[in-house]
Amino acid sequence: TPKIDLSYGSHASERNAWEVVWGLGYGLKNGDYKELEGPSYGITPDAYRYLTSLSANYQVAPIYAKFSWDGKRVFHHDAYGLIGAGMTVEKAFMEDGDMAFSPTINLGIGTRIYLPNKAAIRIQLKDEFNFQSRDKTTETQSIYLKQNVTISIGYVMFRG
């Protein structure tokens, strides 16, 4: 799924921070989906594509350190964990285009490598747990647990 996240955050201290993240994307059919949809099986799976999400996360950075690149330049970095909650919106691949609005819990880890000029490179692994209710299948199963795992690399700009 191609996805982009736009975030705004603030550090309450060197150790604690919060952020609001708006995600935008568009889920694509994978090979398994296309095979099931093809002439061999001829079915349309009850699958949903990611469209957007909005979440608020709390970060704790217990590790702050420095490293030297080739003995010439020193970089400062931190390692953090995050926990958060939000809402994810997905749309069914099926013809009816059913929309799903799912409460979401986020868990993740990451690091920021600080650059000159109030900037950083951020590398993050985040798992979004979606609790999805589907109208078409409430008789057999009312809630589905879905996971959207993302590995992201981003550029961070600091104010002030």
Side-chain angles (χ1 to χ4, degrees):
T1 298
K3 182 183 179 196
I4 186 168
D5 280 342
L6 303 171
S7 65
Y8 176 81
S10 179
H11 286 260
S13 68
E14 288 185 7
R15 182 181 165 101
N16 300 309
W18 60 266
E19 69 176 352
V20 176
V21 181
W22 179 32
L24 297 164
Y26 194 72
L28 304 172
K29 295 178 181 179
N30 64 19
D32 293 336
Y33 188 95
K34 289 177 184 176
E35 182 178 348
L36 289 170
E37 196 177 44
S40 298
Y41 295 96
I43 62 169
T44 303
D46 185 20
Y48 284 66
R49 71 174 79 228
Y50 174 87
L51 296 177
T52 188
S53 59
L54 183 65
S55 62
N57 299 316
Y58 174 71
Q59 298 178 0
V60 176
I63 300 170
Y64 176 80
K66 299 183 228 182
F67 68 89
S68 175
W69 187 264
D70 198 27
K72 297 177 183 171
R73 189 157 179 203
V74 175
F75 289 93
H76 299 257
H77 67 96
D78 67 4
Y80 61 88
L82 73 81
I83 185 167
M87 181 68 67
T88 299
V89 179
E90 295 182 323
K91 183 177 180 180
F93 280 107
M94 297 177 96
E95 301 262 340
D96 67 355
D98 182 44
M99 299 293 286
F101 298 86
S102 309
T104 304
I105 295 174
N106 302 320
L107 297 173
I109 57 172
T111 186
R112 284 176 287 260
I113 302 167
Y114 296 94
L115 304 171
N117 303 324
K118 298 181 181 179
I121 300 295
R122 178 166 133 168
I123 303 167
Q124 180 174 278
L125 170 67
K126 182 171 67 172
D127 198 351
E128 299 173 349
F129 297 90
N130 302 332
F131 300 93
Q132 189 177 79
S133 175
R134 299 181 185 175
D135 293 335
K136 295 184 287 262
T137 57
T138 53
E139 293 175 9
T140 57
Q141 185 174 348
S142 59
I143 300 289
Y144 289 83
L145 175 62
K146 289 186 63 180
Q147 289 180 267
N148 291 328
V149 178
T150 57
I151 298 172
S152 58
I153 299 173
Y155 184 75
V156 179
M157 297 175 287
F158 297 103
R159 304 178 302 152

